[in-house]
Amino acid sequence: MAKAQNGEGKKGDLRWWQLSLLGVASTIGTGYFLGSGIGIRMAGPSILIAFLLAAVGTYTVFEVLARMTADKPEQGSFRSYAKRAFGRWAGFGSGWVYWSSELLIMGSQLTALSLFSRFWFPGMPMWIFAIGYAVLGLGVILLGNKVFDSMENVLSVIKIAAILMFLVVAGIALMGWIPGGGGKSPEFPHTANTFFPAGGMGLWSGFIFAFYAFGGIEVMGMMAIRLRDPKEAPKSGTIMLLLLSVVYLLSIGLAVTLVAWNAIDPKRSPFVTALGKYPLPFIPHVFNGVLIVAGFSTMVASLYAVTTMLVTLAKDKDAPPLFARKGWRERPLFAIGLTAAGLAASVVLSFVMPGRIYEYITTSAGLLLLYNWFFILVTSGKLLKLSGFGQVKRWGGMALIALAVTGTLFHDTSRPGFWGSLAFVGVIGIVTLIMQFMIWKPRKQAKRRSSRPSKSMVLRPKRTT
């Protein structure tokens, strides 16, 4: 929550590698550990292609965001840049779309955390876990930047260590050094039929969940203002994305090698499923703990992001100024309170609506996030002087995002999420139009009129006789 929020985090207190760790903590979460299973069920092993393309698309977004941050660091990050490029309506809409996306992401994360927790306590109602994790997350935010940074750094190391453990154990299993495996030797799906079991349409539909696993790079953009040297933001993000891409491709490749793609349960981590047929009783418990750590970490990062965004909106009077007001220990208590209320509504929605609510909320959240990423690329074309190759990368990133968005229309699991995301954008768009033509424009015109000198104030030359 940067300096403007609590006075703890002075501008320039982060090194580039610390921002990389915070980026890992903000990114590796339920979108990867659980959401990747939905993508595998849709596309089969070909989801690896989607992850590779999503990594390229994510890099194009972060590269331009890092360049804009290096040129002029601003607390509102992409939202402030959109306002500078296109006017107040762009900053208003971008900020509230992002706030909505992160709120839905927190709801899906709480649902996932509750599912993971029931692995150990199957008789406990899920809403109890959801409330508990929500209160803990809000507590971390209230404690401020120092606690947030320290916790996220530690949790990012735990997540990376767990993924490396999976890679090592899966590699040993692949070599045949662990007994079991159902009597069938692991084999990578190398034929067209086994690699593309759902065809090109399945790959297209699952593309959104590959992008969703990289969600969090925009949080790095918001935290980049705290770098000692903002010009190191591109290096920080590039290293983080390279690390994530290699880890994602290796781990998912091993998962679809060790177990058939259609044996993966979307409500269970594919990595736990992949090792479940081996006599390793400690693995499910270790990974379940890691899943909870990962989900909680990204949920706290989302809380950080929405609170920071709400404060910047309030400072620019795109939200009630009350939300920028500071209270106990210089914390924006009203902004945190609204975030808590939205989080509570998201929790209630998650547990009241029946059926595949996790998939629906995840899809809506991912789409709203991609709408913002798309607009970041649009904004960069206005604010940055891009080379010819830079323009190619920018348009390529926009094409990949558009491909992922349209793919959600062709599968029963993701289609409701698409319409839900459009509903959010529609409401925000209507509010933006009302603000533009009924409040901002009249105020601007009144200000211009008041600044003009009236006729009575105009000095006339005296007549000479």
Side-chain angles (χ1 to χ4, degrees), residues 123-397:
M124 190 76 71
M126 289 176 61
W127 62 267
I128 293 179
F129 293 116
I131 291 174
Y133 288 121
V135 170
L136 283 175
L138 289 168
V140 172
I141 297 301
L142 281 170
L143 290 174
N145 278 345
K146 289 182 179 179
V147 173
F148 172 80
D149 292 349
S150 300
M151 187 202 75
E152 292 292 281
N153 284 333
V154 171
L155 296 187
S156 65
V157 172
I158 292 174
K159 286 189 278 189
I160 293 172
I163 294 171
L164 292 176
M165 183 187 74
F166 170 79
L167 294 176
V168 170
V169 174
I172 293 173
L174 193 62
M175 299 296 291
W177 296 344
I178 301 177
K184 184 179 179 181
S185 299
E187 183 180 13
F188 185 78
H190 57 281
T191 65
N193 289 334
T194 55
F195 193 74
F196 294 96
M201 195 63 74
L203 173 59
W204 192 6
S205 300
F207 198 5
I208 180 66
F209 295 100
F211 260 116
Y212 187 63
F214 287 95
I217 54 108
E218 69 289 338
V219 181
M220 284 188 71
M222 298 176 72
M223 288 189 289
I225 191 174
R226 294 172 51 205
L227 279 171
R228 294 186 177 183
D229 181 5
K231 295 191 182 298
E232 290 186 327
K235 176 172 68 173
S236 178
T238 299
I239 291 175
M240 192 248 340
L241 285 173
L242 281 174
L243 174 65
L244 285 185
S245 301
V246 171
V247 165
Y248 282 3
L249 291 172
L250 278 176
S251 57
I252 293 173
L254 283 169
V256 297
T257 299
L258 293 175
V259 68
W261 68 273
N262 53 7
I264 291 174
D265 183 355
K267 291 187 177 181
R268 192 181 181 201
S269 174
F271 312 110
V272 174
T273 303
L275 297 179
K277 60 182 182 177
Y278 295 94
L280 301 168
F282 67 93
I283 287 293
H285 295 280
V286 170
F287 261 91
N288 196 62
V290 171
L291 293 174
I292 291 174
V293 164
F296 182 74
S297 172
T298 51
M299 186 200 73
V300 172
S302 295
L303 280 168
Y304 173 99
V306 296
T307 306
T308 302
M309 183 58 69
L310 188 56
V311 170
T312 58
L313 284 167
K315 285 182 176 180
D316 278 356
K317 298 182 180 178
D318 287 339
L322 174 72
F323 296 120
R325 191 180 301 171
K326 298 174 185 178
W328 175 74
R329 295 185 63 184
E330 294 297 300
R331 307 292 191 269
L333 298 181
F334 292 102
I336 294 174
L338 181 63
T339 300
L343 189 58
S346 185
V347 170
V348 172
L349 180 67
S350 298
F351 296 117
V352 168
M353 291 185 66
R356 306 161 80 172
I357 186 64
Y358 176 75
E359 289 93 334
Y360 299 159
I361 292 180
T362 300
T363 305
S364 292
L367 286 169
L368 287 171
L369 200 61
L370 287 189
Y371 299 155
N372 249 311
W373 287 14
F374 190 91
F375 204 62
I376 289 172
L377 291 170
V378 173
T379 301
S380 68
K382 184 90 169 178
L383 297 182
L384 296 177
K385 292 182 179 179
L386 298 173
S387 63
F389 183 56
Q391 289 287 4
V392 169
K393 289 189 291 184
R394 173 175 166 265
W395 282 101

Side-chain angles (χ1 to χ4, degrees), residues 3-21:
K3 182 179 178 180
Q5 176 177 323
N6 54 27
E8 280 181 17
K10 295 180 180 179
K11 184 177 177 181
D13 64 348
L14 285 182
R15 299 179 184 274
W16 69 267
W17 59 267
Q18 290 175 309
L19 183 61
S20 291
L21 279 178

